Amino acid sequence: IERLLREWRDSATEIEPDLESLIMSTLTLTRMTDGGIFDHLEGGFFRYSIDKYWQIPHFEKMLYDNGLLISIYAQAAIATGETLFSETASEIANWILSEMRASNGGFFSSLDADSDGKEGLYYLWTPGQVKNLLGGEYSIFEKRFGLNTDANFEGKWHLTVKNPIDNEDEVTSIKKSKKILLESRKKRIKPARDEKQLTSWNALAIKGLAITGRNLNRPELINFAAKAAAFVKEKMYVNNRLYASYTHGEAQFPAYLDDHAFMIDALLELLQSKWQTETLNFAIQIADLMLEYFEDKENGAFFFTAEDQEKLIYRPKPIIDEALPSGNGVAAFSLQRLGYLLGEKRYISATENTLKCAWENIEKYPHGHVTLLNALEEYLEKPEIIIIRGDLNEIEQWRNSASRLYSPRRMIFAIDENEKKLPTSIKVRKSIKGKTVAYKCTGNKCTSAITNWEEFVKGISKS
């Protein structure tokens, strides 16, 4: 879906833009939100559907699914302006924070499908239950979710949208009804929660919350993402090595490729939402670990396990996107971005070598390697980096305005003029006392300082 949106955006200024890619991506996102794979009362997506109409899910909820989906819905909201997408992203965020956030700032892994020994029981309704709770609001709710038809799961109803809402009064009624039903549902026996905390899955949630907070003007989500990143650094980065899991107060198992790659990607998104030099330094530390312990320096790309981990009969080198994005795809994508931000050739070379190693597979099966395609796209057409310096309140306004445009190859960093200990590549983008100044770079080539708001807006709207 992300690849389709990027394809559409690349063609948006052409005489015949790729509307098919836009329709395919947005229709899929719409049907997912309307279907039973989405929790219509509390937000968040279930793991997968068990029927071809997407009415009935396997009722397990996973952090990694929702971390990935919140990112794409927030991006689609900016790309299209569709309220449905922004509301879906916000509802995923609300669910993550209410049900999956630990007191240490990180996130738990999943909720079971079963409660009280029965699959889906927590989520199911009879029309009688709903009617008793909603009273006069029932008829609108019944129409919206088709409760006047045959039950869709073992004699009960799992909510899935059947009919459109016709007017604002119905929208208000449905929101009121959902709140009533959710309060009643919370009194039931809840599904059990898997409370291990995984670095890679936390990274996906951090990235999603950072993007959603920035795109939808919800700064509290950015703060929660920053707290989760701090948890990873404080609890899962031990003796200068990253660990994969945190359980019962202890970091366990040396981290894998996905843990490193996903975390770099997440930290780059977090830096765009809230600059802290410590965050950048953590990203650099993880990138250097990935190059030292995972890179195949002879043939290119990265192994899944570190060279000092337990020796395997076969040391895998994952490049295919499966339930999670390819570790090599995310590594190539994020290392390249970090490399251009810092002017660090080692990172850019590692991306190039990964793409060369995976090239035959990308060429034969492009649909199975879209994360690597994103990295390839930015290898061929360099990412755009905008660095804004000045007073914090002013530069955040410039950044927020620029972030309202869907431009997936663009990164925007708002860096306070008083920020210390910046790397040289950023330090040379100097602040000018009493002014807000922006530098627009493509790859390693940058414009001269832009201090005029109208000129800044004109420049970003063209790219």
Side-chain angles (χ1 to χ4, degrees):
I1 295 172
E2 182 183 19
R3 183 66 240 156
L4 289 169
L5 280 176
R6 290 175 73 109
E7 290 284 351
W8 164 73
R9 179 62 180 84
D10 279 347
S11 70
T13 57
E14 297 176 4
I15 296 175
E16 295 185 6
D18 186 0
L19 295 179
E20 186 176 11
S21 288
L22 179 64
I23 292 168
M24 289 168 68
S25 55
T26 55
L27 179 63
T28 301
L29 292 171
T30 299
R31 293 292 183 261
M32 287 173 67
T33 297
D34 285 348
I37 199 170
F38 185 65
D39 184 348
H40 292 277
L41 299 186
E42 197 168 13
F45 281 87
F46 299 103
R47 193 172 189 183
Y48 55 83
S49 176
I50 62 172
D51 70 296
K52 65 181 179 180
Y53 300 108
W54 287 28
Q55 281 196 82
I56 306 303
H58 175 56
F59 287 93
E60 193 174 15
K61 281 185 177 180
M62 313 298 292
L63 180 65
Y64 73 80
D65 286 328
N66 286 283
L68 289 165
L69 286 165
I70 191 175
S71 295
I72 194 62
Y73 273 98
Q75 291 175 65
I78 290 296
T80 66
E82 286 288 337
T83 302
L84 177 67
F85 299 153
S86 59
E87 288 179 346
T88 302
S90 282
E91 289 175 20
I92 298 171
N94 294 342
W95 173 76
I96 289 175
L97 296 177
S98 67
E99 296 299 319
M100 305 305 286
R101 187 171 184 265
S103 60
N104 59 27
F107 299 104
F108 298 127
S109 292
S110 66
L111 292 181
D112 282 353
D114 299 359
S115 56
D116 201 22
K118 296 182 180 179
E119 182 178 352
L121 184 63
Y122 181 72
Y123 303 99
L124 303 175
W125 301 91
T126 67
Q129 288 173 322
V130 179
K131 187 178 290 186
N132 289 337
L133 287 165
L134 299 186
E137 306 288 343
Y138 177 73
S139 60
I140 295 174
F141 197 85
E142 177 192 53
K143 174 187 173 185
R144 175 68 167 163
F145 292 99
L147 299 186
N148 56 347
T149 59
D150 293 337
N152 58 14
F153 188 79
E154 298 180 355
K156 294 185 177 182
W157 275 257
H158 173 59
L159 298 179
T160 180
V161 171
K162 294 296 185 182
N163 295 292
I165 297 174
D166 294 329
N167 54 60
E168 197 60 38
D169 289 340
E170 289 190 355
V171 171
T172 302
S173 175
I174 292 295
K175 287 181 178 178
K176 179 181 177 182
S177 296
K178 285 182 177 181
K179 188 175 181 180
I180 293 170
L181 293 179
L182 179 58
E183 289 303 312
S184 175
R185 195 176 82 176
K186 285 183 175 180
K187 298 174 184 176
R188 300 175 179 178
I189 298 173
K190 285 190 172 185
R193 183 169 60 193
D194 182 348
E195 296 195 347
K196 68 175 176 286
Q197 295 172 273
L198 302 176
T199 298
S200 58
W201 296 10
N202 268 260
L204 294 173
I206 291 166
K207 177 181 178 180
L209 290 171
I211 291 173
T212 304
R214 183 172 72 242
N215 285 8
L216 305 187
N217 194 26
R218 290 190 59 181
E220 78 279 11
L221 300 185
I222 299 168
N223 290 332
F224 283 119
K227 288 176 181 177
F231 155 73
V232 172
K233 184 177 181 182
E234 291 168 9
K235 301 295 185 181
M236 304 180 78
Y237 184 68
V238 182
N239 296 326
N240 298 318
R241 293 296 294 271
L242 194 62
Y243 281 75
S245 178
Y246 186 81
T247 311
H248 304 305
E250 183 181 357
Q252 299 176 325
F253 312 117
Y256 303 98
L257 173 62
D258 288 4
D259 300 301
H260 292 76
F262 292 6
M263 188 54 63
I264 297 168
D265 193 30
L267 294 174
L268 282 171
E269 288 296 342
L270 184 56
L271 283 164
Q272 294 180 70
S273 299
K274 181 179 182 178
W275 181 274
Q276 290 181 313
T277 303
E278 294 84 357
T279 302
L280 176 63
N281 291 337
F282 189 36
I284 294 169
Q285 289 169 325
I286 296 173
D288 288 344
L289 286 173
M290 196 162 64
L291 291 181
E292 182 177 356
Y293 290 99
F294 294 86
E295 187 180 20
D296 182 346
K297 295 176 176 59
E298 293 183 7
N299 303 301
F302 295 87
F303 294 108
F304 184 69
T305 57
E307 64 177 23
D308 60 349
Q309 282 178 271
E310 181 182 355
K311 301 302 178 185
L312 305 175
I313 296 173
Y314 169 70
R315 193 179 175 198
K317 190 187 285 185
I319 62 171
I320 299 173
D321 293 316
E322 299 184 32
L324 290 170
S326 153
N328 268 289
V330 177
F333 182 82
S334 58
L335 275 178
Q336 183 169 236
R337 287 190 153 204
L338 185 61
Y340 281 118
L341 176 63
L342 297 173
E344 178 54 76
K345 293 181 180 179
R346 291 184 303 129
Y347 299 160
I348 298 169
S349 294
T351 290
E352 182 176 347
N353 292 335
T354 300
L355 292 170
K356 287 179 178 178
C357 176
W359 177 249
E360 184 177 348
N361 297 74
I362 297 172
E363 194 172 29
K364 286 184 178 179
Y365 310 106
H367 55 281
H369 301 85
V370 291
T371 309
L372 280 161
L373 284 178
N374 290 345
L376 175 63
E377 178 185 51
E378 295 196 0
Y379 175 75
L380 297 172
E381 297 183 51
K382 304 296 184 279
E384 181 182 279
I385 299 173
I386 295 175
I387 295 175
I388 310 171
R389 304 295 310 276
D391 175 74
L392 186 59
N393 291 330
E394 187 71 19
I395 63 176
E396 286 184 343
Q397 290 181 27
W398 281 39
R399 180 201 61 203
N400 292 342
S401 296
S403 296
R404 297 296 181 266
L405 298 170
Y406 176 64
S407 186
R409 288 207 306 273
R410 173 184 292 152
M411 294 184 287
I412 307 170
F413 302 96
I415 306 173
D416 190 288
E417 60 190 355
N418 297 315
E419 188 73 24
K420 306 296 183 185
K421 298 181 180 179
L422 292 168
T424 302
S425 61
I426 297 174
K427 194 182 296 183
V428 295
R429 314 300 168 209
K430 295 180 180 180
S431 56
I432 300 175
K433 191 171 183 178
K435 291 186 178 182
T436 297
V437 56
Y439 301 89
K440 180 180 172 184
C441 309
T442 302
N444 291 322
K445 297 180 180 179
C446 299
T447 63
S448 56
I450 300 169
T451 57
N452 180 277
W453 166 251
E454 288 75 16
E455 184 183 354
F456 175 69
V457 171
K458 185 178 179 181
I460 62 172
S461 63
K462 286 182 177 180
S463 55

